[in-house]
């Protein structure tokens, strides 16, 4: 079944006090987002006297939206969009992890504060067709029948709380999975048709804990292990 999985995107997240936008910081980040466009937003303008405060979030989006950085209060996300066979993703993981570690280090050097949570979140497309998707769902989420019928679709989520290691220490992790289908409009043979798609989202993160304070080497170690965490969870479902 692994042969029918394609990575759609991967998100890396670190929880770090907000870094307001400034040109010096942005200039250090731009090389990681080729052709990048910077944007900033705030739900409503914030004023201090007659001066406008910095925006409450900002982002850098590479040309073609291949990779983007989203800086928000208390966290930053690095998201890479792709379309790559899960079984042929080793070089993708190497490149993505390298970028994530370098970008996060820039922010940690700028803030000089610890990270409090870390996450890796791959999203996969299931391409083996609707019938095999339903077989998979029934096998994975088997339960009671309703009106003498088995489950046929819908959204399904699971969470496991486990001990995992990085930087020579064990921590409590949340392993979350979400399975769902949706309909989308596509162009096929010159005509618009509605096609059902099937997707699995994984989110692997350190549990909230006021004792968890991660330095730069801890963060690097987490992301060095990110593919191992992801693979173990993916293979739990798709062996």
């Amino acid at each position: 079944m692994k042969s029918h999985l394609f990575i759609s995107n991967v998100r890396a997240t670190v929880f770090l006090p907000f870094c307001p936008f400034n040109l010096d910081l942005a200039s250090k980040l731009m090389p990681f987002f080729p052709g990048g466009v910077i944007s900033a937003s705030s739900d409503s303008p914030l004023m201090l006297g007659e001066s406008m405060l910095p925006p409450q979030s900002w982002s850098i989006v590479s040309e073609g939206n291949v990779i983007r950085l989203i800086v928000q209060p208390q966290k930053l996300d690095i998201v890479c969009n792709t379309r790559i066979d899960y079984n042929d993703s080793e070089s993708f993981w190497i490149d993505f992890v390298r970028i994530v570690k370098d970008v996060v280090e820039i922010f940690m050097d700028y803030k000089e504060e610890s990270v409090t949570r870390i996450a890796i979140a791959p999203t996969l497309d299931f391409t083996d067709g609707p019938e095999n998707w339903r077989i998979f769902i029934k096998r994975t989420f088997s339960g009671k029948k309703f009106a003498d019928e088995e489950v046929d679709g819908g959204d399904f989520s699971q969470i496991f709380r486990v001990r995992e290691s990085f930087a020579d220490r064990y921590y409590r992790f949340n392993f979350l999975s979400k399975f769902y289908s949706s309909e989308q409009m596509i162009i096929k043979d010159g005509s618009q048709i509605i096609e059902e798609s099937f997707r699995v989202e994984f989110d692997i993160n350190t549990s909230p804990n006021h004792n968890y304070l991660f330095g730069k080497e801890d963060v690097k170690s987490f992301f060095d292990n990110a593919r191992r965490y992801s693979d173990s969870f993916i293979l739990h479902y798709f062996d």
Side-chain angles (χ1 to χ4, degrees), residues 86-103:
Y86 167 79
N87 291 314
D88 192 31
S89 60
E90 181 175 0
S91 61
F92 165 82
W93 277 104
I94 291 171
D95 292 341
F96 180 65
V97 165
R98 175 182 52 81
I99 291 170
V100 168
K101 291 193 298 184
D102 289 346
V103 168

Side-chain angles (χ1 to χ4, degrees), residues 46 62 110 127 135 142 155 162 169:
L46 300 177
S62 75
Y110 178 77
T127 62
I135 291 171
S142 59
D155 295 350
V162 302
R169 182 179 171 185

